[in-house]
Amino acid sequence: MLAGSSDEEPERERELLGVLRTRRVDGLIVVPTGAPDDELESAHRDGTPIVCVDRASPVPGVDTVTADNRGGVAGAVRALHALGHRRIGFVADHSSLWTARERHEGFAAAMAELGCRTRAGWVRRDVHTEDAARAAVTGMFGAATAPTAVVTAQNWLTVGARRALVDLGLHHTVAHVGFDDFPLADMLDPPVSVIAQDPAELGRRAALLLLSRLDGDSGPAETVTLPTRYIARGSGELPPPVRPS
C-alpha cells in the first residue's frame, strides 16, 4: 500500500496520482481536492479502479463514499431551533471544497425550512484556519445584533470559534455545535456538542468497494452516504437568552 497527501493542493494531487500510476498500482482511493484533475480522468479512462472518499468525485462514473454532510448540519440546526434559537450563525471552510459546500447547503436549507432569517454577517464562508475562525466569530459578535447560536463546519474552525467565545465571555451563553469531533472536546466547560462522522467506516467502505472492483465487479458506479451522529455534550444545548417581557 502506498499513501500520500495532497495538502488540499490540486497540483500536488495531480503529481501524486501521476507518481502512483507510474508505479502501476492496482487501484486508487482518493480524497479529491475538488478541482478538475486530468490524471484522475486519465486513470478512470484507462480502467484503473477508483474510489473517491469523503468528497464527491470530480470525474463522473467513479465510486464514492461520503458522510451525510447536509443532513448532519440540517439536524443540528433543527436541534437548535427546537431549543428556541432563531438567530444562528455559521462558519465554513473554503467553498471550493465539496464538503464545505454540502454543509452550507444543509445549513441554508434547514434555516429556510424553519423560517429563520439568515444575515450575511452571520454566515462566514471560506474560513480555513483556526485563527481565521476566531477572527470571524469575534467579528460576528461585534455587531449590534448577534446570533444566539453558532454552527462551525469543520473541527479546526470549531476550535477557533470556541476560543473566540471564551475571549468574549460567551461560551456559557451562546450555543455552539461543531462538525467533526476533536480531542478533548468532552473535557471543556461546557463540553462541545458535535456532528460526528466515522472516518474509520468511511475508509473501510471505500476499501471494500475497491477490493470488489479488483475482484471483477463491473457494475454501475456506487454512491455510498454514511449517516452522521449528533453528540449532545452541553455547548449545543444552551438555550437562547430570555428576552425581557
Side-chain angles (χ1 to χ4, degrees):
M1 183 176 69
L2 302 174
S5 174
S6 68
D7 291 326
E8 304 291 6
E9 297 178 8
E11 185 55 39
R12 175 66 175 158
E13 179 184 282
R14 285 189 285 272
E15 290 174 2
L16 280 170
L17 288 171
V19 169
L20 292 171
R21 293 182 68 203
T22 61
R23 300 289 292 270
R24 304 177 69 84
V25 295
D26 293 319
L28 293 163
I29 295 178
V30 181
V31 179
T33 61
D37 191 328
D38 51 358
E39 280 288 346
L40 196 62
E41 291 182 9
S42 179
H44 181 52
R45 286 196 303 269
D46 289 347
T48 301
I50 300 168
V51 179
C52 284
V53 64
D54 188 50
R55 301 166 186 169
S57 170
V59 179
V62 170
D63 293 319
T64 306
V65 181
T66 65
D68 185 7
N69 294 279
R70 289 193 190 205
V73 172
V77 171
R78 293 187 192 105
L80 290 168
H81 184 272
L83 289 171
H85 293 281
R86 302 296 182 267
R87 306 201 311 264
I88 305 173
F90 182 72
V91 184
D93 207 334
H94 288 320
S95 300
S96 59
L97 298 176
W98 181 82
T99 46
R101 295 196 302 273
E102 286 289 295
R103 292 169 193 176
H104 175 258
E105 286 296 325
F107 173 79
M111 292 290 280
E113 166 198 318
L114 297 168
C116 294
R117 178 184 176 190
T118 58
R119 302 192 186 191
W122 297 354
V123 178
R124 305 295 180 97
R125 304 179 70 186
D126 296 299
V127 180
H128 186 57
T129 66
E130 177 186 335
D131 287 342
R134 190 176 189 174
V137 172
T138 299
M140 194 182 293
F141 286 90
T145 303
T148 61
V150 178
V151 177
T152 45
Q154 189 248 43
N155 49 7
W156 284 112
L157 305 186
T158 300
V159 173
R162 179 55 177 262
R163 288 185 185 278
L165 293 175
V166 170
D167 293 342
L168 297 167
L170 297 173
H171 55 298
H172 286 288
T173 55
V174 172
H176 181 200
V177 179
F179 200 111
D180 282 335
D181 211 352
F182 61 95
L184 306 183
D186 59 337
M187 297 182 68
L188 299 176
D189 179 27
V192 180
S193 300
V194 297
I195 306 152
Q197 54 182 334
D198 188 343
E201 184 62 13
L202 284 167
R204 191 184 77 86
R205 294 293 291 272
L208 288 174
L209 265 177
L210 184 62
L211 291 171
S212 176
R213 296 302 186 191
L214 292 173
D215 285 341
D217 181 356
S218 58
E222 292 190 36
T223 299
V224 178
T225 304
L226 301 178
T228 58
R229 182 167 60 100
Y230 183 79
I231 303 177
R233 293 193 176 119
S235 71
E237 289 62 58
L238 296 171
V242 177
R243 296 183 179 181
S245 56

